[in-house]
Amino acid sequence: MASTWIKPSTRPTTIDDLVNGVDRYNPTNLSILEDYLYHQIRSEEYDCLANLAILKLYQFNPDIYNPDIVINILIKALAASPLPDFNLCISLLDERTAPSHLDEPDPLPSTLPQLKDLQNLLYRCRFPAFWETYLSDEFENLRDNYTVEVTGFENSIRQVAIRAVTATFTRISSERLGSYLNLEGDGLVSYVKSLGWEIDSSTGTIIVPPNPDNQIEATVVQEQIKLPQLTKLISHAVKA
């Protein structure tokens, strides 16, 4: 997992050289990294370190800051929960006044609190609340102007829920899983089958395959105390 985070298998060699070299701080390379971000958005790929390099360049060079790019980076980082990617991105966002080079008002100050709310719900595994919040009228602007452009965004959020379910359940009701995934009926059945999971047709219960995280194994701890040690313990107890 850590090696994939550091270097995704989909990362091109040119980007890898850029991210791992001093040239990542060269603002003339910003367009290359931004183009790579748009590739991630279109292809459902994700590269946190490359995106962090963009935010670092914005931090060093406020005159090239692009709020739409920042919002897209944060949206991609949402689906990495429970990894700390979103908070890593936030840490590189300085408090700043509206840049003079922008032709329109900066959308980040109004969008950032919404993204933080969504990330908080995902981190706490409150998936039904996430979907209710995300699909509310208040978040319509976020959906219509940003997440709609991110290929597979909703499925990437479902993967966050699936990772949590896989680690904690051996069996889960269809109704409950459907609320986690914002799916029901044939859509839910099709999604579950795509995971290779089984559905008990008589009860509607979904069987989560066994894995190291959801299996309870008893551990027997044997302590061996030698006679001289026991004698010392008894002696100390008597003196006390």
Side-chain angles (χ1 to χ4, degrees), residues 139-154:
F139 283 66
E140 182 178 7
N141 182 67
L142 179 68
R143 297 193 306 273
D144 291 348
N145 292 290
Y146 293 101
T147 58
V148 69
E149 301 292 338
V150 180
T151 302
F153 171 74
E154 293 189 0

Side-chain angles (χ1 to χ4, degrees), residues 6 13 25 38 53 71 74 84 99 102 109 139-140 159-160 192-193 218:
I6 294 172
T13 303
Y25 299 122
Y38 284 122
I71 292 172
L74 293 174
L102 296 180
F139 283 66
E140 182 178 7
Q159 285 300 310
V160 176
V192 170
K193 288 183 177 179

Side-chain angles (χ1 to χ4, degrees), residues 114 117-118 121 127-140 143:
Q114 293 184 331
D117 287 344
L118 293 177
L121 291 171
F127 303 118
F130 171 90
W131 292 112
E132 182 180 357
T133 303
Y134 171 67
L135 297 173
S136 66
D137 292 340
E138 184 183 352
F139 283 66
E140 182 178 7
R143 297 193 306 273

Side-chain angles (χ1 to χ4, degrees), residues 175-196:
E175 182 179 359
R176 186 171 189 176
L177 183 62
S179 70
Y180 288 180
L181 304 178
N182 192 39
L183 291 173
E184 59 184 12
D186 293 341
L188 176 61
V189 172
S190 177
Y191 190 88
V192 170
K193 288 183 177 179
S194 72
L195 297 172

